[in-house]
Amino acid sequence: MSSGEKIRVEEERLIVPDEPIIPYIEGDGIGPDIMRASMMVWNAAVERAYGGKRKISWKEILAGEKATAQLGQPLPQETIDAIKEYIVAIKGPLTTPVAGGYRSLNVSMRKILDLYACVRPVRYFQGVPSPVRHPEKLNIVIFRENTEDVYAGIEYKEGSEEVAKLRGFLEDQLGAKVRKDSGIGIKPISRFATQRLVRKAIRYAADNGRKSVTFVHKGNIMKFTEGAFKEWGYELALKEFRDKVITEDELWDQVKGPDGVTPMTKPGAFAHLRGGKEAGNPGERIVVKDRIADQMFQQVLTRPNEYDVIALPNLNGDYLSDACAAQVGGLGIAPGANIGDWVALFEPTHGSAPKYRGMDKVNPSSLILSGVMMLRYLGWVEAAQLIEVALEKTIMDRKVTYDLARQMEGVSPIKTSEFGQEIVRRMDS
Ligand code: NAP
């Protein structure tokens, strides 16, 4: 039985007691190994940061293989209920059951709990091998919409009755032609889902001193879905955050054109002159801008320090998150969270890597840093910083697990548990 108290929401604020009860799911495959090492690190950081005044009261809840073995199903209702009740939870990776009608336990949890924002901070830790020359220039937080787009699961098989019906409707009613041997997927993007995501992204930027929010879309081609995402994003930004934001167009309007009088208005108007000019000064305001998705993949490589918080629909977000994670050293260290209005479930971005189960071998950094995100969500910033600094020192001292060791010259890998111990040791130095 856990001691501790529940986290609550009161008057639009998260109320975190000194000993919050936080449910955790150990995870399948490598889950137990990385959860054990991570808990050691989180507990040590909280203890050191607050001298024992604060403490996490962990409460195990079951999902995946452990739940199937003990309760006969991989995603018991009591697990979902506990996450709702305790508001903040953390999980290890779960193996997708081959049978049982679950597309993925993770997707099911996001859907059932309406965790509509997939949040992925991407930053570089010194010492991590990276494929680019200046990985440290990328320091962004990605807000990816989790419930819509082609991932909404509205998809029909080639040759099915549903496809026949849809083709008939599209041709007869809308004059749109679709080849007979097609599968059909539907891409809904709504104002509601877009705006709640963008609201979260701008709030995050405002609360964390971030300088810009960029909407990434493919609106030049898909005007009424991706293009609408951008339009609704600006609409929300200007309606709800007018005193906090300035759009990129407004910034350019502050810059005088070639005659020294006429503002350099709309994008493209004086594009050839922009190269050497600075845009207007945003002051304390957050710059709201947008980029076409394909261009954005170049921008994160060529001008990474011009981006900060990024909001995007589901599919673009899926691609860009992993590409950016690779840029700073890969998925083994990239943390993540799925967040609803308040309920937040933190998790590593990799899977359960079953072939390494029980070997005390893999890198726990992704889960450890998901815990760092969780500590920041609780407002326990000191503990979060302690872990980030100690983890970076550990990697710089070349104390790393096999995945990083194999990319470094002359480094012998250490175990998952040893990596955790090395981090804790560096908290005291
Ligand atoms: P995976 O578990 O992410 O593993 C793929 C490879 O990534 C591993 O073989 C390993 O590469 C590397 N890797 C993953 N985690 C690592 C870590 N912590 N440290 C070092 N290297 C790590 O992907 P998968 O094999 O495709 O998926 C396995 C199961 O996990 C599936 O059932 C899948 O559905 C599930 N899954 C769950 C989640 C989640 O819970 N959020 C996410 C993705 C997948 P090397 O072999 O090259 O060393």
Side-chain angles (χ1 to χ4, degrees):
M1 183 64 197
S2 316
S3 58
E5 285 175 66
K6 284 182 198 166
I7 292 172
R8 315 183 302 281
V9 175
E10 279 175 17
E11 294 170 1
E12 294 294 299
R13 280 183 52 230
L14 203 63
I15 309 292
V16 181
D18 282 341
E19 197 179 333
I21 300 171
I22 299 193
Y24 71 96
I25 296 167
E26 190 178 52
D28 298 327
I30 56 174
D33 280 351
I34 60 174
M35 188 59 82
R36 211 175 300 117
S38 300
M39 272 199 183
M40 174 173 57
V41 170
W42 300 327
N43 289 340
V46 170
E47 163 72 33
R48 281 161 179 75
Y50 308 112
K53 188 176 167 287
R54 285 176 171 168
K55 179 180 168 222
I56 294 173
S57 181
W58 297 106
K59 174 186 169 65
E60 182 168 15
I61 55 174
L62 302 182
E65 290 164 0
K66 208 166 175 181
T68 307
Q70 293 186 26
L71 303 170
Q73 50 174 316
L75 190 53
Q77 185 59 42
E78 59 200 70
T79 292
I80 297 291
D81 292 343
I83 298 172
K84 278 188 195 154
E85 185 178 347
Y86 293 98
I87 302 175
V88 174
I90 192 157
K91 65 179 274 292
L94 296 171
T95 301
T96 302
V98 179
Y102 288 91
R103 271 204 314 168
S104 141
L105 292 176
N106 302 297
V107 173
S108 302
M109 287 168 103
R110 285 171 213 165
K111 274 204 163 145
I112 296 168
L113 292 161
D114 196 22
L115 305 177
Y116 56 82
C118 176
V119 185
R120 293 255 208 115
V122 181
R123 60 154 283 196
Y124 181 63
F125 287 91
Q126 292 294 330
V128 175
S130 151
V132 301
R133 265 190 296 166
H134 287 292
E136 73 286 353
K137 288 189 177 171
L138 190 69
N139 183 350
I140 57 176
V141 183
I142 296 176
F143 282 73
R144 164 189 170 200
E145 208 289 324
N146 243 348
T147 66
E148 297 197 325
D149 201 352
V150 284
Y151 276 45
I154 311 173
E155 200 189 14
Y156 303 102
K157 196 168 181 243
E158 177 250 334
S160 66
E161 198 184 318
E162 291 89 346
V163 164
K165 279 187 188 162
L166 273 169
R167 278 187 66 242
F169 176 78
L170 287 168
E171 282 198 33
D172 299 346
Q173 307 289 319
L174 304 178
K177 290 230 179 304
V178 175
R179 288 194 184 92
K180 197 170 174 216
D181 57 350
S182 301
I184 298 183
I186 298 204
K187 176 186 175 78
I189 290 192
S190 70
R191 182 193 297 258
F192 169 77
T194 299
Q195 293 197 333
R196 68 178 178 172
L197 177 88
V198 168
R199 184 179 295 118
K200 212 172 241 323
I202 298 180
R203 264 196 202 139
Y204 176 90
D207 291 347
N208 291 279
R210 294 281 183 158
K211 292 192 163 33
S212 68
V213 176
T214 306
F215 308 134
V216 177
H217 60 91
K218 192 69 189 156
N220 53 333
I221 305 295
M222 292 170 274
K223 296 189 178 5
F224 307 124
T225 50
E226 301 263 336
F229 180 91
K230 172 190 81 169
E231 297 301 332
W232 292 327
Y234 280 116
E235 180 184 275
L236 183 284
L238 294 175
K239 190 165 157 218
E240 296 189 12
F241 298 94
R242 180 62 278 195
D243 57 331
K244 290 198 168 66
V245 302
I246 184 162
T247 67
E248 195 174 40
D249 277 1
E250 288 170 336
L251 262 186
W252 280 110
D253 280 345
Q254 295 176 5
V255 181
K256 301 290 178 260
D259 60 4
V261 182
T262 317
M264 293 180 50
T265 52
K266 301 294 165 233
F270 294 96
H272 60 293
L273 291 173
R274 282 188 179 181
K277 288 223 179 209
E278 289 290 312
N281 180 0
E284 296 293 299
R285 296 205 185 188
I286 298 162
V287 180
V288 178
K289 51 190 173 182
D290 74 278
R291 294 290 181 271
I292 305 272
D294 38 326
Q295 195 210 357
M296 191 63 188
F297 277 84
Q298 298 180 43
Q299 296 270 305
V300 289
L301 285 163
T302 56
R303 309 165 78 108
N305 42 6
E306 290 180 16
Y307 298 95
D308 209 331
V309 173
I310 297 179
L312 13 58
N314 203 326
L315 184 63
N316 297 332
D318 192 12
Y319 298 155
L320 193 70
S321 307
D322 282 14
C324 290
Q327 203 167 318
V328 297
L331 283 181
I333 60 160
N338 292 291
I339 306 182
D341 280 341
W342 291 103
V343 173
L345 183 58
F346 296 83
E347 62 172 352
T349 48
H350 56 73
S352 59
K355 67 180 178 185
Y356 295 125
R357 171 201 303 267
M359 291 170 68
D360 197 18
K361 176 180 169 97
V362 298
N363 190 344
S365 298
S366 177
L367 181 58
I368 291 174
L369 293 170
S370 302
V372 166
M373 284 177 79
M374 183 185 81
L375 291 167
R376 288 189 190 279
Y377 193 73
L378 301 180
W380 293 13
V381 179
E382 300 79 5
Q385 283 170 345
L386 204 54
I387 297 174
E388 283 173 329
V389 171
L391 185 139
E392 188 160 53
K393 274 190 202 159
T394 308
I395 297 172
M396 283 175 78
D397 291 344
R398 298 158 70 83
K399 299 281 182 198
V400 292
T401 45
Y402 83 98
D403 52 313
L404 298 185
R406 70 185 168 191
Q407 301 175 65
M408 299 166 153
E409 262 175 49
V411 174
S412 307
I414 59 173
K415 295 178 173 179
T416 311
S417 52
E418 291 168 342
F419 183 71
Q421 288 154 9
E422 294 287 349
I423 295 175
V424 174
R425 193 167 302 144
R426 281 163 183 76
M427 286 179 195
D428 296 321
S429 63

